[in-house]
Amino acid sequence: MEDQICGSIEKILFSNEENGFAVAELSLKTADAPVVVVGALGNVKAGETISCKGVWKHHASYGKQFEVASFETSLPKDLLGIQRYLESKSVKGIGKVYAKKIVAHFGLETLRVIDDEPMRLLEIEGIGEKKVEKIISHREEHNSVRDVMVFLRGHNIGSGLAKKIFRRFGEATIKTLKENPFVLSQEIFGVGFKTADKIASELGIPHSAPARIEAGAEYLLSLFAEQGHTCYPEDGYLTQAEELLQVDRSLIHNAIVALEGKKRIIREKLPTENEAILHLWTSTLFFSEIGIAKRLSLLIQAPPSLRTIKTDKALDWVQETLSIRLAPEQMTALKRSLEEKVHIITGGPGTGKSTVTKAILTVHAKLTEKIILCAPTGRAAKRLGDICRRKAFTIHSILEYDFTNGGFKRNQDNPLECELLIIDESSMIDTYLMHSLLKAIPPSARVIFIGDIDQLPSIGPGNVLKDLIESQKIPVTRLFQIFRQAKGSQITIAAHDINRGIFPLLKSPPEESDLLFYQLEEPEEIIHNIVDLVKNKLPAQFSWDPYRDIQVLSPMRKGVIGIENLNVVLQKHLNKEEFGVARMGRHFRLGDKVMQTRNNYKKMVFNGDIGRIEEVDLDEETLAVSFEHHEVVYEFSELDELTLAYAVSVHKYQGSEAPAILLPVHTSHFKLLQRNLLYTGITRGKKLVILLGTKQALALAIQNNEVLKRYTGLSYFTHRNLLTKES
């Protein structure tokens, strides 16, 4: 039988925004001391009056507790309760200092004044019109969101996520979700199909409802896109859809047909070695791949705006001008870059890509001023600019995001002003971004893609550079020769050895090398050495900043030497600052090194960008992060976009470099011990790479050249499009 208690929230002892679970002290009129209440209390605040139904339980460590099954809240009615309520930041913009002043001035009328006569807050010294506007805005949202919060809290959705949902759907939230809760998984970052499905079940939506199966069908394709696929073979897709949805395959097939009719899913056959097999795409990925093929066809066929020059004379002139002697394959790369409309140059570290890029730029600078250099990330763009001694940009910045209408301002109707476009680190460009970029390039321009095809593919869906090369319709020059200045680097030599499946020469301290190996059998030994190297040894030996100059990479998230645990341990040892905020199961402190985990065009910060927390404002509930080119402010409800970055995945760090890279290589990571992952990780180090683990794990990675296959249609579409001269 349930008990019922009623009292005032004294203090919140623990709160998890992710699932709404909280522990609070509740002051009862019938008890001398506060009692502890636990349960899905959502965003209750100190000072609120709460009526709870539940049961009393005894916890082995914490003693007597009241486990809440359901509850209702009401605003406080006494002066102390009102002050505590305001001090708990229930009204954004009012902290402890102003709470005391406001309650002293307005007394029991305080909450009525804030709701009905907020401009009277100007009577309080220190409160100006700007702060009042913020308070009004927050109060209106708070009052509107209250019913929504109660509804969502009943479905185990925490307050941070509930605020996001409310901002998207407003006062129509409850009506929208009752009609179709699956819109959550389609439109709200951080809500998956399974969460929406649970809400749907509780609302009585049948398991076999078409809306549920269609939402699940689209969700599965989005999962495949997160894994890098732009499409997926229909037979394998149906098997996984059955497992996800637990319904008959015929119902899933009906859903696919319905989604085809709505042009949300595309089905088309792709040729394999033996037969053509049906594949499924989301419409956006299908038309992005088709669009890439068509824009490349248009680029290749359109007459160039640049005048024709005598290539042989240009080759002699540029070598004399730059005081260099190009190798035969570099000469070929330069020659084709002066003759072809679209050209791909690919090669590993130390093969002279930078030298060729400078030569290409030097010749073209005599032909036109309309040259753009760009790369997928800020760090890659900066490195390209340093090499060429010319301003380079991120792809996102040259495309100019349209904050009013969404999408990019630069497109086929408003193209870039360029006659030559050089794109570095092209292997990082995913399908969506490549389509947007190609749409913005004028057909008369020359385009040169530069990258390392042996690195990991893009974080986003697709394997664009590899697919374009495999189409055999785009001119490609491969650079293999390692040059003298790179031959002294064991990092470069080892990277090429690994790429060829050869176990590299390894040196261990106290030997000197830019590639060192620590033979360590136990994960605990590895993490101990990583902490010592990052915190003590490397800063002492090289005067390197542990935040800026040293990066730990790991192939897996879980485990002792996985990314999550490495971040917790490194944060503890490197950042002694205690001031911060706990949200989404993560603890962010002032000064922490953090990474953005998704593209956010409105903030102009992108998946993989690394920055540092410069400010935490508990009153405004905001956190400011300084990235390479600008500062970004996050509301606490947006912190699911951030993660600690003392350790990051190799995949997320591609395109970036650091003076020192530390990379654990251990058999506990056997699922992700792959050659291209190891190769990519090693090539991120500019001056020093330290591998920590076992030679057995290293050998397993080098032997494993079975790259996880990405299903895409771009190679076929490009071959077909350029073969038939479509435009």
Side-chain angles (χ1 to χ4, degrees):
M1 183 177 175
E2 285 187 331
D3 290 310
Q4 185 166 350
I5 59 174
C6 182
S8 173
I9 297 285
E10 287 282 324
K11 148 187 337 182
I12 304 297
L13 302 174
F14 172 81
S15 176
N16 185 333
E17 289 247 343
E18 220 165 340
N19 57 21
F21 180 82
V23 180
E25 284 187 352
L26 189 67
S27 178
L28 305 177
K29 290 181 180 178
T30 56
D32 295 331
V35 300
V36 174
V37 294
V38 301
L41 301 173
N43 64 329
V44 293
K45 303 291 185 183
E48 284 185 320
T49 298
I50 181 170
S51 176
C52 310
K53 289 182 179 179
V55 293
W56 289 100
K57 288 193 173 180
H58 184 82
H59 190 281
S61 300
Y62 303 111
K64 190 177 181 182
Q65 297 179 339
F66 188 82
E67 192 172 279
V68 178
S70 63
F71 69 95
E72 292 180 357
T73 60
S74 59
L75 294 176
K77 296 179 174 60
D78 61 282
L79 290 177
L80 184 59
I82 293 170
Q83 185 171 323
R84 280 184 184 146
Y85 177 72
L86 293 180
E87 286 176 347
S88 69
K89 305 176 193 65
S90 296
V91 181
K92 195 171 182 179
I94 298 178
K96 286 189 176 182
V97 174
Y98 286 117
K100 193 172 183 180
K101 288 183 179 180
I102 293 169
V103 173
H105 188 74
F106 295 114
L108 295 174
E109 289 285 286
T110 294
L111 296 180
R112 187 197 65 75
V113 168
I114 291 173
D115 279 338
D116 300 336
E117 301 177 87
M119 296 310 293
R120 286 191 61 193
L121 292 172
L122 293 171
E123 297 171 19
I124 307 298
E125 185 182 353
I127 293 183
E129 289 187 9
K130 195 171 180 181
K131 183 174 276 291
V132 171
E133 286 173 10
K134 277 189 178 180
I135 292 169
I136 292 171
S137 174
H138 179 262
R139 196 65 184 159
E140 287 173 351
E141 181 180 320
H142 178 81
N143 291 336
S144 299
V145 84
R146 199 170 184 84
D147 290 341
V148 175
M149 289 290 197
V150 171
F151 173 79
L152 294 174
R153 187 171 58 211
H155 299 289
N156 294 319
I157 292 179
S159 58
L161 198 50
K163 287 175 186 174
K164 276 189 174 184
I165 295 169
F166 179 79
R167 282 180 194 149
R168 170 63 185 86
F169 300 111
E171 294 180 2
T173 298
I174 295 174
K175 179 176 180 292
T176 301
L177 298 190
K178 283 183 175 179
E179 289 175 357
N180 182 12
F182 298 104
V183 297
L184 289 177
S185 61
Q186 296 163 352
E187 300 195 29
I188 306 294
F189 176 75
V191 179
F193 172 78
K194 291 180 180 177
T195 300
D197 198 26
K198 186 175 184 295
I199 295 172
S201 177
E202 291 172 354
L203 291 172
I205 294 175
H207 214 53
S208 58
R212 175 182 181 267
I213 300 171
E214 287 180 25
E218 287 193 276
Y219 167 74
L220 187 56
L221 281 178
S222 73
L223 273 187
F224 289 141
E226 287 177 14
Q227 295 164 13
H229 308 290
T230 60
C231 58
Y232 209 79
E234 186 177 52
D235 193 51
Y237 169 88
L238 288 170
T239 299
Q240 295 198 47
E242 281 181 301
E243 188 177 333
L244 171 71
L245 296 167
Q246 296 293 300
V247 296
D248 188 79
R249 184 174 286 211
S250 62
L251 293 177
I252 299 169
H253 187 268
N254 292 343
I256 291 171
V257 171
L259 289 165
E260 268 194 287
K262 297 173 185 176
K263 295 186 169 23
R264 295 182 68 87
I265 282 182
I266 307 293
R267 295 165 82 220
E268 184 164 321
K269 286 186 175 181
L270 289 179
T272 64
E273 289 182 6
N274 302 316
E275 59 179 327
I277 296 177
L278 271 171
H279 285 66
L280 302 180
W281 286 257
T282 61
S283 58
T284 51
L285 279 169
F286 178 82
F287 290 113
S288 290
E289 290 199 311
I290 289 288
I292 290 170
K294 288 188 173 184
R295 291 301 297 184
L296 285 168
S297 178
L298 182 62
L299 274 168
I300 287 172
Q301 293 178 65
S305 57
L306 291 168
R307 63 181 174 87
T308 304
I309 61 172
K310 293 181 178 179
T311 308
D312 291 339
K313 285 190 175 181
L315 293 175
D316 292 337
W317 173 82
V318 76
Q319 289 181 96
E320 184 179 343
T321 301
L322 296 177
S323 301
I324 57 174
R325 181 56 52 195
L326 296 174
E329 59 190 29
Q330 290 179 307
M331 295 275 272
T332 301
L334 177 54
K335 187 173 186 292
R336 298 183 85 178
S337 298
L338 298 173
E339 295 172 346
E340 304 285 359
K341 282 292 299 305
V342 179
H343 182 210
I344 296 171
I345 301 171
T346 181
T351 56
K353 295 192 299 293
S354 298
T355 301
V356 172
T357 304
K358 282 190 285 188
I360 293 168
L361 183 62
T362 302
V363 175
H364 280 89
K366 289 292 182 181
L367 303 176
T368 179
E369 293 181 354
K370 295 180 179 179
I371 298 172
I372 297 177
L373 306 180
C374 65
T377 68
R379 289 190 177 192
K382 184 178 185 303
R383 192 171 67 252
L384 177 62
D386 291 343
I387 289 166
C388 296
R389 296 183 182 178
R390 184 185 182 109
K391 178 70 174 172
F393 305 88
T394 63
I395 296 172
H396 296 97
S397 65
I398 65 170
L399 294 179
E400 300 174 30
Y401 187 75
D402 188 337
F403 292 97
T404 304
N405 303 310
F408 293 111
K409 293 179 183 178
R410 294 291 185 172
N411 50 41
Q412 60 267 44
D413 300 320
N414 180 30
L416 297 165
E417 295 179 14
C418 68
E419 293 184 303
L420 172 69
L421 183 68
I422 297 176
I423 307 119
D424 199 15
E425 295 286 359
S426 297
S427 64
M428 294 181 62
I429 306 175
D430 67 27
T431 302
Y432 295 123
L433 187 58
M434 182 64 84
H435 186 217
S436 296
L437 176 61
L438 289 173
K439 283 194 295 184
I441 301 172
S444 60
R446 173 171 287 151
V447 181
I448 299 167
F449 297 103
I450 300 169
D452 184 350
I453 195 62
D454 294 312
Q455 283 188 30
L456 292 168
S458 58
I459 296 173
N463 206 346
V464 176
L465 189 65
K466 185 172 181 287
D467 282 350
L468 294 183
I469 292 172
E470 288 186 351
S471 75
Q472 298 182 352
K473 292 296 173 181
I474 310 291
V476 179
T477 303
R478 293 177 182 267
L479 304 176
F480 294 103
Q481 182 180 342
I482 302 176
F483 290 93
R484 189 184 304 113
Q485 65 269 28
K487 285 181 179 175
S489 167
Q490 191 57 35
I491 294 173
T492 301
I493 295 168
H496 285 273
D497 283 345
I498 289 166
N499 207 23
R500 294 195 298 268
I502 300 169
F503 198 94
L505 174 67
L506 296 174
K507 293 185 178 181
S508 299
E511 291 184 280
E512 291 186 2
S513 174
D514 61 356
L515 176 68
L516 293 172
F517 179 74
Y518 281 61
Q519 176 70 29
L520 300 167
E521 297 292 335
E522 300 300 326
E524 290 77 11
E525 288 183 285
I526 294 173
I527 203 166
H528 173 77
N529 276 272
I530 286 174
V531 169
D532 190 34
L533 285 162
V534 174
K535 183 181 178 182
N536 303 313
K537 288 183 179 176
L538 297 182
Q541 186 175 354
F542 300 102
S543 298
W544 283 338
D545 181 342
Y547 287 83
R548 187 183 62 248
D549 300 323
I550 305 168
Q551 183 62 54
V552 178
L553 304 179
S554 180
M556 288 187 75
R557 299 210 64 80
K558 304 295 183 182
V560 175
I561 47 176
I563 294 162
E564 291 177 2
N565 190 52
L566 280 167
N567 270 316
V568 170
V569 174
L570 287 167
Q571 181 193 49
K572 176 184 174 183
H573 284 87
L574 294 177
N575 189 358
K576 297 301 182 183
E577 176 65 62
E578 293 185 2
F579 181 67
V581 60
R583 287 293 186 278
M584 316 297 175
R586 303 179 179 99
H587 293 265
F588 296 105
R589 300 177 189 168
L590 192 64
D592 270 337
K593 184 177 183 180
V594 293
M595 173 182 277
Q596 175 77 10
T597 60
R598 64 180 286 243
N599 289 340
N600 188 324
Y601 292 97
K602 290 187 177 179
K603 295 183 186 297
M604 288 305 287
V605 60
F606 304 100
N607 196 349
D609 285 355
I610 291 178
R612 196 164 180 180
I613 297 175
E614 298 291 345
E615 182 183 5
V616 178
D617 190 325
L618 297 179
D619 287 334
E620 296 295 325
E621 294 191 350
T622 59
L623 180 150
V625 179
S626 176
F627 290 98
E628 191 151 353
H629 296 295
H630 66 305
E631 187 172 276
V632 176
V633 176
Y634 297 82
E635 294 194 11
F636 284 177
S637 61
E638 298 174 311
L639 294 184
D640 55 347
E641 295 187 19
L642 289 177
T643 187
L644 293 175
Y646 298 100
V648 301
S649 71
V650 177
H651 217 142
K652 292 275 190 183
Y653 203 67
Q654 62 175 327
S656 297
E657 289 182 334
I661 293 291
L662 276 63
L663 178 62
V665 185
H666 193 266
T667 48
S668 60
H669 291 161
F670 72 95
K671 287 184 180 179
L672 286 174
L673 289 174
Q674 296 166 352
R675 185 185 299 176
N676 68 338
L677 190 143
L678 180 61
Y679 170 82
T680 303
I682 285 176
T683 55
R684 301 307 88 211
K686 289 163 64 177
K687 296 180 179 178
L688 178 65
V689 172
I690 299 177
L691 304 174
L692 305 96
T694 66
K695 290 184 179 179
Q696 180 192 6
L698 200 58
L700 286 171
I702 294 166
Q703 291 163 14
N704 182 10
N705 198 30
E706 293 182 14
V707 179
L708 292 174
K709 179 175 175 57
R710 288 192 171 192
Y711 291 103
T712 67
L714 182 58
S715 177
Y716 169 67
F717 295 144
T718 304
H719 184 88
R720 184 184 69 180
N721 226 53
L722 292 174
L723 189 68
T724 56
K725 303 294 184 187
E726 293 178 11
S727 62

